[in-house]
Amino acid sequence: YVRKNDNARALLSLRDSDALVQKWVSADGALIVVQHGRLVKLLGFKEQQMQGQIVLQQDWLTKSRSLIHQGDKSHIISDWSAVKHQGVESRIEVIAIVNEELSYFDHTIESVRVDEQVEFSSGEVITNTFWFSKNNGMLLKSRQQPLPNWSVFELEYISDIANNLSAIGTSNI
């Protein structure tokens, strides 16, 4: 599922996937591309088009969940077509790692919430959040704002959520 700001959730279909990149498409043709869980491309959203990101330092999201630590840092350069910004630099730091329960289908999943602070070269700062399964380390959900003053995109990986519920013995989902 994807939710843009406070709008209703929309169901996305996985169009293409490999070990690094997943391409999700909506019924109206909007495309969301994620790499290791990070939004790297948005197409088909009227006010916002994002061409892609180039990671200059290892993105903490490429690490196994057990190797992610508070203070981990990344440096990213992004290209944004709708706002005429190319080469927008941002520095990312993991600022919190917290155990948290997620509720789905009247059941709970133990998760680890990771908050990252993104500081742009303009001085503006935003916070993105990622939830990983405590059971298997899979990314279950994220809330990301690609650029200040842009929409917030909440992604929920419902297949991985269902697999986690199944793994913990929930049979009636």
Side-chain angles (χ1 to χ4, degrees):
Y1 293 118
V2 66
R3 180 189 319 263
K4 181 179 162 192
N5 294 325
D6 293 325
N7 296 330
R9 283 192 301 192
L11 181 64
L12 299 178
S13 297
L14 184 60
R15 187 180 92 181
D16 190 20
S17 178
D18 62 33
L20 302 175
V21 177
Q22 294 176 328
K23 296 177 182 176
W24 299 88
V25 64
S26 68
D28 64 358
L31 176 72
I32 293 178
V33 180
V34 295
Q35 183 172 353
H36 298 291
R38 185 173 305 284
L39 284 173
V40 295
K41 186 178 276 192
L42 299 168
L43 297 174
F45 296 91
K46 281 190 223 175
E47 72 281 9
Q48 298 166 340
Q49 302 287 325
M50 180 170 75
Q51 292 304 317
Q53 296 185 331
I54 302 167
V55 178
L56 295 184
Q57 292 179 353
Q58 181 181 13
D59 190 345
W60 67 264
L61 276 169
T62 63
K63 295 180 179 181
S64 167
R65 175 32 228 128
S66 62
L67 299 176
I68 298 169
H69 301 289
Q70 190 168 332
D72 284 351
K73 296 180 180 177
S74 303
H75 179 205
I76 293 179
I77 294 182
S78 309
D79 289 328
W80 316 87
S81 63
V83 290
K84 298 181 183 173
H85 289 294
Q86 293 188 340
V88 175
E89 288 192 50
S90 57
R91 297 199 181 280
I92 298 172
E93 181 174 355
V94 174
I95 58 170
I97 299 176
V98 179
N99 291 330
E100 188 171 294
E101 289 185 347
L102 296 176
S103 294
Y104 290 97
F105 309 112
D106 296 322
H107 299 282
T108 59
I109 298 174
E110 297 293 322
S111 75
V112 176
R113 188 190 82 217
V114 179
D115 297 335
E116 68 175 16
Q117 180 176 293
V118 183
E119 183 177 352
F120 294 88
S121 54
S122 64
E124 294 172 286
V125 176
I126 60 173
T127 300
N128 293 326
T129 305
F130 301 82
W131 289 263
F132 297 89
S133 167
K134 207 169 184 181
N135 179 47
N136 62 14
M138 295 294 296
L139 180 62
L140 302 174
K141 176 179 174 179
S142 69
R143 189 173 298 130
Q144 301 176 59
Q145 183 179 6
L147 197 66
N149 304 313
W150 269 37
S151 298
V152 174
F153 289 84
E154 183 175 282
L155 301 167
E156 295 176 285
Y157 299 93
I158 203 67
S159 295
D160 291 328
I161 290 166
N163 288 338
N164 268 269
L165 289 172
S166 178
I168 60 173
T170 306
S171 59
N172 56 347
I173 57 172

